[in-house]
Amino acid sequence: TVGFAGRDIQKKGLVPGAAHVGLDLTPVVGTAKNIVEIFTGDLIPDKPPKTPPALVPSPAGASPPSQPESPSNLYGRSHVKGPSSKN
């Protein structure tokens, strides 16, 4: 669609995205393309998504990261007492 031309070019790449937007801009061809895409999906596919770099496994024998302290045990207490009510 024309309103999302920049996003279409970003998703599909420069040349395929420009062709996609150009076809949408052409009066009869764009309408025919959109009708066909209702039933078949995108005629011009998106670029494949970028994959994040692979995680490096930890060396053998390395200990896993320790769990964070629970809030009730941050100061060496087993529990936190509320305010005392004195009369």
Side-chain angles (χ1 to χ4, degrees):
T1 59
V2 179
F4 296 104
R7 180 71 178 136
D8 286 342
I9 291 172
Q10 188 178 36
K11 284 179 15 183
K12 296 178 184 303
L14 181 61
V15 174
H20 178 80
V21 171
L23 287 173
D24 280 345
L25 283 173
T26 308
V28 175
V29 176
T31 303
K33 177 184 149 306
N34 289 331
I35 291 171
V36 168
E37 285 182 342
I38 289 172
F39 299 105
T40 63
D42 266 346
L43 294 177
I44 301 172
D46 294 347
K47 293 186 299 189
K50 293 180 181 178
T51 57
L55 296 174
V56 179
S58 61
S63 62
S66 63
Q67 295 293 326
E69 292 279 336
S70 66
S72 64
N73 199 20
L74 283 178
Y75 302 107
R77 300 179 199 162
S78 62
H79 64 282
V80 177
K81 293 182 181 179
S84 61
S85 60
K86 295 182 180 178
N87 291 343

